[in-house]
Amino acid sequence: MTKKIISVVGARPQFIKAAAVSRAIGETDGLSEAMIHTGQHFDANMSDVFFEELGIPKPRHHLDINGGGHGYMTGRMLMAIEPILIAEKPDWVVVYGDTNSTLAGSLAASKLHIPVAHVEAGLRSFNRRMPEEINRLVTDHLSTLHLCPTAGATANLAAEGVVKGVHHVGDVMYDATLFAIGKAKTGSNILSDLALKPTRYAVATVHRAENTDDPKNLGAVVQFLRTQARKHQVVLPLHPRTRQAASRMGVDFDGLQVIEPVGYLDMVKLLHHAAEVYTDSGGLQKEAYFHRVPCTTLRDETEWTETITNGWNRLWKGPERADQREITEYGEGRAAFEIANLLKASNHVM
Ligand code: UDP
């Protein structure tokens, strides 16, 4: 009998993770998938481009829910997802990462006694002022299958008493990088378009609320990037939230090469040839390692502590990078297939 999966996505990093998992589900007999796109990210360069470039199946349900406060957005998603799950009757709901779409999907499903599989389970910043931390905590405690990218994530869950259904599968973003790297070689002209020379520039991204919602913090981040720009050109694909916050606060980006958000193939190409990465993104910290580029994280803590202990990353206000060592716990690019096999093999009745 075929098991039916409903996956819930809504934000840029989730499209990239879902691309890897959808492909694996599609290649696994006995599984079928339909997708709900909540609409949290909706600009063409924050959503459509990833579906096109990564061959993600068209979502069956598009909710078009975005904007407003956390409660307003999450509440509307919850209201919209519930009747879809009642009608679709899936065997699993798969959620990704730590956004409001993740929380709404896992809440709606668990209240309907539909088991939830959480891709990227167990990450913790131990900072409950981050909305993402709240979303992760609740989702992990509602989920049946915990699909952890790192050994540290499984340890975090164990420390909270979550030990059943916990699997260290590796990082699906590594799968996504391996998929895209060949395509980016011919599919992206970003270096020539921006007149960039390999290893002579850095890539930066900034979008965390802690950096964008406070003029002092945003100003400090921009100042840090300007200092780096004395060393090499800093390319900054600007997240719409950061662009809006900066114009509201009167912060300018003089001295930095600001561009619109780029598609995944362009990002892979940019990262692959960069001298350094400066970011507050979770995904980019690891992608910097996948391309063996040193990273500086523009935050006071990180969920991806193995990037720091193995010398590929540092916190911007922390010590210098440690000696570099290989990181094995992200796996070998088969995390998505492990996930598909677990979804197929696990028989769970709530
Ligand atoms: N990304 C992209 N284009 C951009 C900026 C980011 O394709 O202009 C990709 C990036 O390579 C990574 C993902 O988006 O795979 C990270 O998303 P984001 O930083 O928005 O979220 P986070 O990882 O912090 O949850």
Side-chain angles (χ1 to χ4, degrees):
M1 222 181 69
T2 299
K3 279 195 178 148
K4 181 173 179 181
I5 293 157
I6 293 280
S7 28
V8 181
V9 298
R12 177 168 66 188
Q14 294 169 329
F15 309 141
I16 294 160
K17 290 165 202 164
V21 176
S22 279
R23 197 169 316 113
I25 290 174
E27 290 177 22
T28 304
D29 288 340
L31 294 178
S32 76
E33 183 192 23
M35 203 175 264
I36 300 177
H37 186 327
T38 62
Q40 190 174 340
H41 283 168
F42 53 90
D43 293 334
N45 60 9
M46 295 292 287
S47 174
D48 299 356
V49 64
F50 299 99
F51 283 81
E52 285 153 21
E53 286 185 346
L54 301 176
I56 309 170
K58 196 171 155 36
R60 183 175 294 169
H61 306 274
H62 205 301
L63 309 183
D64 200 19
I65 296 172
N66 42 70
H70 284 279
Y72 181 73
M73 191 200 293
T74 312
R76 288 173 68 211
M77 287 177 184
L78 193 52
M79 283 165 66
I81 293 171
E82 188 176 71
I84 295 172
L85 297 184
I86 290 171
E88 291 272 9
K89 299 188 185 55
D91 297 289
W92 286 105
V93 166
V94 176
V95 295
Y96 295 88
D98 54 22
T99 72
N100 290 341
S101 304
T102 319
L103 177 62
S106 55
L107 262 177
S110 53
K111 289 254 177 149
L112 293 170
H113 310 162
I114 301 166
V116 175
H118 184 201
V119 177
E120 213 172 74
L123 294 185
R124 295 290 180 268
S125 64
F126 302 101
N127 174 2
R128 290 204 182 185
R129 293 182 59 85
M130 285 178 76
E132 294 90 345
E133 184 79 350
I134 307 296
N135 295 340
R136 293 179 194 125
L137 272 163
V138 176
T139 299
D140 279 337
H141 285 263
L142 295 178
S143 297
T144 298
L145 259 186
H146 307 271
L147 305 160
C148 298
T150 61
T154 65
N156 290 338
L157 290 176
E160 292 170 19
V162 180
V163 288
K164 248 180 83 186
V166 176
H167 301 268
H168 176 193
V169 292
D171 188 357
V172 295
M173 294 199 77
Y174 184 47
D175 303 19
T177 293
L178 293 183
F179 175 79
I181 207 155
K183 287 183 180 293
K185 275 201 181 98
T186 51
S188 165
N189 299 320
I190 188 108
L191 296 198
S192 51
D193 289 352
L194 299 178
L196 296 170
K197 292 206 169 54
T199 72
R200 305 277 287 279
Y201 66 91
V203 182
T205 72
V206 182
H207 75 285
R208 291 263 161 248
E210 70 208 59
N211 284 331
T212 60
D213 292 2
D214 178 329
K216 218 172 83 228
N217 293 354
L218 185 57
V221 165
V222 172
Q223 199 41 50
F224 175 84
L225 295 179
R226 272 200 198 107
T227 313
Q228 304 309 312
R230 287 191 212 129
K231 198 163 52 174
H232 39 216
Q233 198 168 346
V234 175
V235 180
L236 175 64
L238 201 56
H239 194 286
R241 173 203 272 172
T242 316
R243 187 180 287 280
Q244 281 159 17
S247 85
R248 211 173 43 241
M249 295 165 184
V251 172
D252 70 66
F253 296 100
D254 293 353
L256 309 175
Q257 188 170 2
V258 172
I259 58 172
E260 288 294 316
V262 294
Y264 193 58
L265 299 187
D266 281 344
M267 190 44 126
V268 163
K269 184 99 160 217
L270 275 176
L271 288 170
H272 198 69
H273 296 285
E276 270 190 80
V277 171
Y278 311 112
T279 189
D280 60 8
S281 157
L284 245 81
Q285 291 174 59
K286 286 168 301 154
E287 286 170 332
Y289 167 68
F290 299 156
H291 296 277
R292 302 297 189 271
V293 176
C295 180
T296 299
T297 292
L298 305 169
R299 289 177 47 198
D300 295 336
E301 75 273 311
T302 177
E303 299 77 16
W304 304 99
T305 50
E306 67 288 335
T307 58
I308 304 255
T309 50
N310 290 296
W312 293 94
N313 191 6
R314 63 181 289 265
L315 301 178
W316 66 323
K317 294 174 189 163
E320 287 306 312
R321 289 184 203 95
D323 290 339
Q324 285 175 350
R325 282 186 310 233
E326 292 293 292
I327 305 174
T328 53
E329 55 193 294
Y330 299 135
E332 279 151 25
R334 301 282 304 167
F337 281 93
E338 285 218 30
I339 290 171
N341 288 335
L342 284 165
L343 291 170
K344 186 172 169 176
S346 310
N347 279 316
H348 191 84
V349 182
M350 279 184 77

